[in-house]
Amino acid sequence: MIGTFTFENLPCRVVFGSGTLAEAKAEVERLGGKRALVLTTPQQEAQGKSLGAALGPLYAGIFPGATMHTPVEVTERALAAMKACEADCVVSLGGGSTTGLGKALALRTGVNQLCIPTTYAGSEMTPIVGQTENGLKTTVRDPAVLPETVIYDVDLTLTLPASLTATSGINAIAHAVEALYARDTNPITSLMAEEGIRALARALPAIATKSDDREAGTEALYGAWLCGVCLGTVGMALHHKLCHTLGGTFDLPHAETHTIVLPHALAYNAPAVPEAMARISRAIGAADASQGLFDLAKRLGAKLALRDIGMPESGIDKAADLAVTNAYWNPRPLERGAIRDLIARAWAGEPPVAIKAAA
């Protein structure tokens, strides 16, 4: 039976397809932009300059300093660059780091954003920005940080390294997984979540076999978009709290952290969310949802242990303490000891284990 629910449709324009990067100039004009600052990471500066050339007279300059976890000091440097070139809008070209920087600038200034993702991060579809200061990552949810327009161009994902394709894709799956048992879950979001998980779980192995598989790339980007909508529409739970804590505290790479933690966080919540577990299992074609996601990451060649991406063993207890501090809502009560065990397994790269609730 369908019960009472609330669904909020976020006001974001999406242009999806192949070759759609060519629409960037028209989309900036549609937003009323006259001087656009292009944002990239240092690694994508050349792509950003090429985009700037395509923008023609609308191109005000480039800030190629985006970095993961959106450090406040980087945002301040970008803000100075924005003022120096008198930009009235931003064009974010890249993954979650670049998208986050654009959002941070929008939060401070109110400028319009055109977002052009080159990974499966999904944050381009959300009114959420995570920012790091003094080693702590905090999140802000505000309609002002939702990009006005997103261009999805499959061509931009076909050259993604295999390792980034895998972790970025599972990061996207994580958004949909938690949407299925969010406090404010609803039938519409759940439909998108299951379809997004299904699309990515089917496409990612095909891309791992043939990186320029356009059909698989299109399906993966479609899945990532759906998962991003889920992330922006409903709240998240323990998995995202853990990843924000680990990433901000130990400066761990975002997508890799999500990939490693997801099966373990899901196993922790499994006893409380049988319906969500059944939908995830169905979407990925596995008997057990958490083990199936662990096996998918392994099949894709992703790293499975937090110790392999830079987390010290001495940080396990600190992470457990932080995870239960200012905690996100979660379908299962947070038990510090069980969460410590979860983190320890993720640190060692062990398979997920369903942890029984304390008596």
Side-chain angles (χ1 to χ4, degrees):
M1 186 179 74
I2 297 174
T4 302
F5 66 89
T6 300
F7 174 75
E8 183 175 357
N9 199 21
L10 298 175
C12 178
R13 173 179 167 88
V14 172
V15 180
F16 186 101
S18 175
T20 47
L21 181 63
E23 302 297 319
K25 184 173 183 291
E27 292 301 324
V28 170
E29 290 173 336
R30 189 176 184 278
L31 292 172
K34 305 294 185 185
R35 295 183 59 79
L37 176 65
V38 175
L39 307 174
T40 71
T41 60
Q43 295 82 4
Q44 293 183 290
E45 182 175 2
Q47 279 183 283
K49 288 181 175 178
S50 177
L51 173 58
L55 292 175
L58 299 179
Y59 179 49
I62 185 169
F63 180 83
T67 189
M68 63 182 186
H69 307 309
T70 319
V72 169
E73 60 270 21
V74 173
T75 301
E76 290 172 349
R77 290 200 296 271
L79 187 61
M82 187 177 156
K83 290 179 179 177
C85 69
E86 299 181 337
D88 61 3
C89 62
V90 294
V91 179
S92 304
L93 175 69
S97 297
T98 307
T99 300
L101 177 59
K103 288 178 166 186
L105 291 173
L107 182 64
R108 295 194 183 203
T109 67
V111 294
N112 286 336
Q113 305 168 74
L114 168 60
C115 191
I116 308 171
T118 60
T119 69
Y120 305 128
S123 57
E124 66 277 355
M125 296 306 300
T126 78
I128 305 163
V129 61
Q131 303 177 91
T132 304
E133 186 172 17
N134 299 323
L136 290 177
K137 188 169 186 177
T138 57
T139 58
V140 175
R141 189 180 189 102
D142 190 313
V145 307
L146 178 72
E148 280 68 30
T149 303
V150 176
I151 292 178
Y152 287 105
D153 189 337
V154 176
D155 299 357
L156 298 177
T157 67
L158 298 181
T159 56
L160 270 179
S163 60
L164 184 54
T165 296
T167 57
S168 180
I170 295 178
N171 177 28
I173 288 175
H175 307 329
V177 164
E178 291 227 301
L180 285 169
Y181 53 70
R183 175 167 48 181
D184 49 354
T185 191
N186 61 76
I188 309 305
T189 301
S190 293
L191 282 172
M192 290 189 286
E194 185 172 346
E195 172 68 358
I197 295 168
R198 183 206 59 77
L200 280 159
R202 187 166 72 176
L204 292 174
I207 296 170
T209 300
K210 187 175 183 291
S211 62
D212 61 349
D213 185 329
R214 186 175 296 276
E215 183 177 344
T218 300
E219 185 166 31
L221 194 59
Y222 160 73
W225 167 47
L226 291 175
C227 293
V229 174
C230 293
L231 177 65
T233 305
V234 297
M236 297 290 112
L238 173 64
H239 168 77
H240 280 77
K241 173 64 176 182
L242 284 172
C243 290
H244 291 158
T245 294
L246 293 166
T249 304
F250 304 106
D251 198 31
L252 305 183
H254 181 84
E256 289 90 334
T257 303
H258 276 269
T259 299
I260 294 167
V261 170
L262 179 60
H264 300 279
L266 185 57
Y268 179 91
N269 278 329
V273 290
E275 183 180 343
M277 294 294 286
R279 297 187 78 146
I280 298 162
S281 296
R282 183 169 62 216
I284 65 176
D288 180 82
S290 53
Q291 184 64 45
L293 289 170
F294 183 85
D295 292 342
L296 175 62
K298 188 175 182 179
R299 180 181 176 188
L300 296 175
K303 292 179 179 177
L304 303 174
L306 291 172
R307 64 182 175 188
D308 291 339
I309 61 170
M311 181 179 169
E313 185 174 11
S314 60
I316 293 173
D317 281 297
K318 181 178 182 180
D321 290 338
L322 290 172
V324 296
T325 303
N326 298 320
Y328 295 3
W329 177 88
N330 195 63
R332 174 182 167 180
L334 300 184
E335 300 163 21
R336 196 266 182 197
I339 288 174
R340 190 208 180 277
D341 291 343
L342 178 168
I343 297 169
R345 295 188 72 83
W347 180 85
E350 298 171 359
V353 171
I355 304 171
K356 293 182 179 180

